[in-house]
Amino acid sequence: MPREFPLDKVRNIGLTAHIDAGKTTTTERILFYAGRLHRMGEVHDGAATMDWMAQEQERGITITSAATSCQWGDHRINIIDTPGHVDFTMEVERSLRVLDGAVVIFCAKGGVEPQSETVWRQADRYRIPRMAFINKMDTVGADFARVVQMMVDRLGARPVMLQMPVGAESDFSGIIDLVEMRATFYDDELGKTSHFEDIPAELADEAQSYRNQTLEVLAEFDDELMTLYLEEQPIPASLLKKVLRKATIATNVVPVFCGSAYHNRGIQLLLDGVIDYLPAPKEVAAVRGVDLRDGSEIFRKPSDTEPLAALAFKIQSDPYVGKLAFFRVYSGVMKAGSYVYNANQDRRERISRIVRLHANHREDVEEVYAGDIAAAVGLKNVSTGDTLCDEDHPIVLESIDAPEPVISVAIEPKTQADEEKLTKSLRSLADEDPTFRISYDEETGQTIIEGMGELHLEIITDRLLREFNVGANVGRPQVAFKETIQSDAVGEVRYVRQTGGRGQYGHVKLEIEPLEPGGGFEFEDKIIGGAIPREFISHVERGVRQALDTGSLSGYPVIDLRVRLVDGSYHPVDSSDIAFQIAGSLAVKKAMESADPIILEPVMKVEVVVPPEYLGDVLDNLNARRGQVVDLQQTESARLVHATVPLSEMFGYATVLRSMTQGRATYTMQFLEYRPAPKSVMERVVSSRTGTQ
């Protein structure tokens, strides 16, 4: 089957933003104008196409990223609509990993909000070209210029305005194109027909000022444009678009558009911008990976003639087809019915079907090509971040890192009949979501589930009941504390067991030292002279890692330390893998006891938007929760409080904030870092954990 769209006519984009900025509504309009939908569904009615989960329709928020594609002109646009709530930030992370460009949507009233910043940093990490769409220009408090300035101040972005609104709030009536220097006005409520007019006289000077700012920025990237600008010569729109495209793809600038998705204004112009300024797969750098045969770095160009290289970026349990693996093809061709090599799992697997996705609807295709995003049926052992490739040309692409969970609850089946179903269902959910973890507490006999926040775990338990028909009782949320050390220490253990016949012998000497916050775990092999044979070193490390899963103070995982294996001895007959694993485990536990262990607690970045008259009460309440106010900002109608607060103090905050401000304040919260817990908190945590023994 020949390729339907040439590679230069394909765009892979994501729509990202803070919660309630209008991502899903914008996607709905894009699909409508592109002819993919015949009727627009609304988020508040629970009828948006991309919010297909029952939980999304009830809450009016996006929970899981949904993929779709549409045709605009002679181009195919593959779109991923991502969540805006911080609890589901992994959905954004893995979507950005496989996209070539992004449309970041800002609310014209709220501007750059906390999750907008998080998404922006994620896109920075992957060097993804972006466009900005300032949405909701027709809402009360809409301020185009303020949002553009916030992009500079909060994101360090370099916005170039390609549009400006005609009016704002209830007076928003059209959009001025600063490239063509003309105004667009809409003729009907659906926004299907529009016409061009001259720029209104009262806005001509402002429009020229914005255009000059844009030209000034773009002149830096092209000599011809610079010459025309300095000589005050007319600049053709074609030259402006060419330079703008080049600068956008290089992530030097961010084109800014505006409109109102809900009232059908500006979406077609945004789609034109996606085609004009965001890259095709062939315009981004070749994907980098590691050759499994010799460990060397190799690159795969976005071409159908290169060997197959694809990345599985999302796993989804489907009640009809089983396991769906979403993937992006970076090079080569993948065919239904063919075999692929899973380089991460060292397995050969057969792809029974390939489907293109439109939210939760599927369309079978025979093959997909470089630059395509699709899903495969039949891959039983694939996980998020696995590379699917040609077995004769094995490559491992950079995987996708999942953030650590910060909150946990105990869960148990309601009836004996639910017990086996619960285990199986939790495993399916963990396959889908790398930020969702399951563990078993041997001391209490409880199953513990961990996630990114209260909403995250609430959705998980709701899905258990609705999708998997499993009844479960859920305990109160618990904070995912960690442990670390404050000083260096040494641990030495000689593990000897003689029970008749061959015995067990392992002798290990370790040094441990603290790392900087966020340093994770490092293991160094400093054995010289063969004191411990090479084949046992990895088993010492395995024992150390197992021991650090449960710290010496309260049984929480230990982080931010370096373990150095410095000495030991072995017995030519009695030494074994298990003996050195046990010796490594006991040695690091012994060292921990004298290394000043402490408890670390997760600290959240909190932003509260509050009317001025309630500011004092909100600040007092945050202080009572051990919060530290970092910044206080003022807008015309509200105060923005930026604070850091321990997660353990934030349970139930939504209810308290509502009652304190008569429901007029809102807040957002996201994980910031782990910090040492105060002595009182440390004592409480230790006693609560040891009291269960």
Side-chain angles (χ1 to χ4, degrees):
M1 186 178 77
R3 176 187 269 281
E4 190 178 356
F5 291 87
L7 202 55
D8 62 348
K9 301 288 187 183
V10 174
R11 300 289 183 271
N12 292 316
I13 67 164
L15 271 66
T16 63
H18 186 85
I19 191 169
D20 204 31
K23 293 178 306 302
T24 302
T25 302
T26 303
T27 309
E28 200 78 7
R29 278 19 179 206
I30 287 173
L31 296 176
F32 176 75
Y33 295 126
R36 193 70 202 254
L37 297 179
H38 301 296
R39 176 182 171 276
M40 290 180 281
E42 304 299 351
V43 173
H44 58 266
D45 293 333
T49 307
M50 304 302 281
D51 284 351
W52 56 270
M53 290 173 63
Q55 293 86 351
E56 293 177 315
Q57 293 167 357
E58 289 173 359
R59 289 172 168 81
I61 62 170
T62 302
I63 292 168
T64 181
S65 54
T68 188
S69 63
C70 63
Q71 185 174 341
W72 187 248
D74 58 351
H75 288 70
R76 163 174 277 150
I77 305 177
N78 296 315
I79 303 169
I80 298 183
D81 175 30
T82 63
H85 197 285
V86 68
D87 283 14
F88 309 105
T89 190
M90 182 61 191
E91 289 287 327
V92 185
E93 180 82 24
R94 57 185 174 186
S95 299
L96 288 174
R97 172 69 177 80
V98 299
L99 294 170
D100 301 323
V103 176
V104 184
I105 299 173
F106 299 103
C107 171
K109 179 183 177 182
V112 178
E113 297 171 280
Q115 186 64 2
S116 312
E117 294 185 56
T118 303
V119 168
W120 198 270
R121 307 293 173 226
Q122 289 171 312
D124 278 343
R125 190 160 59 250
Y126 294 120
R127 287 191 59 79
I128 291 178
R130 273 147 281 175
M131 290 168 35
F133 180 61
I134 299 177
N135 190 25
K136 302 189 178 182
M137 279 307 309
D138 52 353
T139 57
V140 176
D143 189 334
F144 178 77
R146 173 177 165 269
V147 179
V148 173
Q149 189 57 46
M150 288 178 80
M151 290 175 64
V152 176
D153 298 339
R154 289 203 183 183
L155 305 176
R158 204 167 186 193
V160 289
M161 288 157 285
L162 305 191
Q163 295 178 349
M164 63 171 278
V166 178
E169 301 181 343
S170 59
D171 295 328
F172 175 60
S173 58
I175 296 165
I176 294 173
D177 182 339
L178 299 173
V179 176
E180 304 280 359
M181 289 303 280
R182 63 189 182 189
T184 299
F185 294 94
Y186 292 87
D187 303 323
D188 62 338
E189 282 298 311
L190 282 177
K192 277 188 141 185
T193 58
S194 59
H195 66 276
F196 300 121
E197 291 184 14
D198 290 338
I199 296 172
E202 67 274 15
L203 295 174
D205 289 345
E206 187 181 359
Q208 190 60 54
S209 174
Y210 277 146
R211 179 181 166 87
N212 289 341
Q213 290 175 37
T214 295
L215 293 174
E216 200 171 305
V217 171
L218 293 178
E220 295 179 27
F221 305 107
D222 187 82
D223 291 340
E224 183 185 355
L225 181 58
M226 171 75 83
T227 303
L228 291 173
Y229 177 64
L230 292 176
E231 293 178 357
E232 298 184 359
Q233 297 292 320
I235 297 173
S238 57
L239 174 63
L240 201 52
K241 287 183 177 181
K242 186 184 88 171
V243 176
L244 188 54
R245 178 179 184 80
K246 182 180 171 185
T248 303
I249 292 173
T251 66
N252 291 321
V253 300
V254 180
V256 179
F257 294 75
C258 65
S260 167
Y262 182 62
H263 285 113
N264 316 311
R265 302 288 185 261
I267 303 302
Q268 296 98 321
L269 301 174
L270 180 67
L271 279 167
D272 291 338
V274 167
I275 303 303
D276 288 340
Y277 307 119
L278 291 183
K282 64 191 299 183
E283 293 174 293
V284 296
V287 68
R288 183 177 61 188
V290 174
D291 191 326
L292 277 184
R293 293 167 295 193
D294 57 15
S296 62
E297 186 178 69
I298 53 175
F299 294 87
R300 290 281 164 80
K301 296 175 184 173
S303 166
D304 300 342
T305 58
E306 290 260 314
L308 174 66
L311 184 75
F313 66 94
K314 177 181 168 73
I315 307 299
Q316 183 176 305
S317 296
D318 188 284
Y320 302 106
V321 299
K323 200 172 185 178
L324 264 179
F326 290 60
F327 62 88
R328 157 77 188 264
V329 182
Y330 284 97
S331 63
V333 179
M334 187 184 289
K335 298 183 179 181
S338 66
Y339 284 88
V340 294
Y341 178 61
N342 185 331
N344 298 76
Q345 311 282 352
D346 190 22
R347 288 175 181 268
R348 189 167 176 259
E349 294 196 69
R350 182 175 181 272
I351 293 180
S352 57
R353 290 168 58 198
I354 297 175
V355 294
R356 286 198 190 280
L357 293 148
H358 178 49
N360 62 332
H361 302 292
R362 294 168 296 278
E363 171 192 328
D364 280 88
V365 292
E366 287 302 310
E367 53 191 2
V368 284
Y369 304 88
D372 281 343
I373 293 175
V377 180
L379 299 172
K380 293 186 175 65
N381 300 293
V382 70
S383 300
T384 298
D386 284 357
T387 301
L388 308 174
C389 60
D390 182 346
E391 195 167 6
D392 295 329
H393 302 86
I395 183 175
V396 175
L397 304 176
E398 181 188 352
S399 193
I400 302 169
D401 294 327
E404 288 294 312
V406 296
I407 192 170
S408 64
V409 296
I411 189 168
E412 59 184 27
K414 279 191 174 176
T415 67
Q416 196 73 31
D418 286 326
E419 191 164 350
E420 190 176 331
K421 283 165 65 181
L422 177 65
T423 304
K424 188 178 177 183
S425 303
L426 288 174
R427 202 171 294 125
S428 291
L429 290 168
D431 284 345
E432 285 188 21
D433 186 352
T435 60
F436 173 61
R437 311 276 174 85
I438 313 159
S439 59
Y440 185 73
D441 191 326
E442 294 182 359
E443 296 171 1
T444 62
Q446 291 178 310
T447 298
I448 307 296
I449 58 174
E450 297 176 274
M452 300 304 294
E454 288 181 273
L455 179 61
H456 187 197
L457 295 183
E458 188 183 316
I459 297 294
I460 291 285
T461 53
D462 195 28
R463 289 186 64 192
L464 280 172
L465 184 62
R466 296 196 194 199
E467 291 177 35
F468 298 93
N469 297 314
V470 179
N473 295 317
V474 180
R476 292 181 62 191
Q478 303 292 320
V479 177
F481 291 99
K482 306 282 187 191
E483 294 185 25
T484 193
I485 57 172
Q486 298 182 92
S487 60
D488 300 358
V490 177
E492 185 172 6
V493 165
R494 196 182 303 268
Y495 178 74
V496 183
R497 289 290 182 275
Q498 198 68 46
T499 56
R502 181 177 172 179
Q504 296 283 358
Y505 181 91
H507 172 211
V508 167
K509 183 178 181 181
L510 301 170
E511 295 174 353
I512 64 174
E513 63 181 48
L515 293 175
E516 290 293 315
F521 168 77
E522 293 179 11
F523 181 86
E524 292 183 358
D525 171 18
K526 295 294 183 182
I527 292 294
I528 54 174
I532 298 176
R534 298 248 64 82
E535 63 265 26
F536 295 135
I537 302 294
S538 63
H539 295 281
V540 174
E541 182 179 354
R542 185 178 299 168
V544 168
R545 286 182 179 274
Q546 287 177 350
L548 295 180
D549 282 342
T550 52
S552 59
L553 275 178
S554 57
Y556 285 108
V558 185
I559 60 171
D560 300 340
L561 84 163
R562 178 183 290 118
V563 176
R564 194 177 292 113
L565 177 59
V566 294
D567 202 2
S569 62
Y570 73 102
H571 189 281
V573 177
D574 291 349
S575 285
S576 66
D577 296 349
I578 191 67
F580 274 99
Q581 188 172 323
I582 293 171
S585 174
L586 295 174
V588 78
K589 282 186 175 180
K590 186 175 181 181
M592 280 279 297
E593 291 171 3
S594 54
D596 298 328
I598 57 169
I599 301 288
L600 297 173
E601 62 179 350
V603 174
M604 312 303 283
K605 184 164 70 172
V606 178
E607 182 177 284
V608 186
V609 181
V610 56
E613 59 266 34
Y614 301 109
L615 179 63
D617 293 340
V618 167
L619 293 177
D620 289 344
N621 187 263
L622 287 173
N623 287 331
R625 294 172 183 269
R626 295 193 287 125
Q628 295 179 350
V629 175
V630 177
D631 189 23
L632 196 57
Q633 294 179 342
Q634 182 173 330
T635 66
E636 288 182 14
S637 59
R639 302 292 180 268
L640 275 65
V641 181
H642 299 268
T644 59
V645 191
L647 174 61
S648 58
E649 304 289 346
M650 289 300 291
F651 292 133
Y653 184 64
T655 305
V656 172
L657 185 65
R658 272 197 300 270
S659 65
M660 203 169 22
T661 63
Q662 297 183 5
R664 293 175 61 195
T666 60
Y667 85 103
T668 55
M669 177 174 75
Q670 65 188 81
F671 173 70
L672 177 64
E673 62 187 1
Y674 274 93
R675 291 181 186 169
K679 188 176 179 182
S680 59
V681 173
M682 199 160 115
E683 289 172 352
R684 188 178 75 238
V685 171
V686 172
S687 63
S688 68
R689 296 283 283 189
T690 54
T692 60
Q693 293 181 354

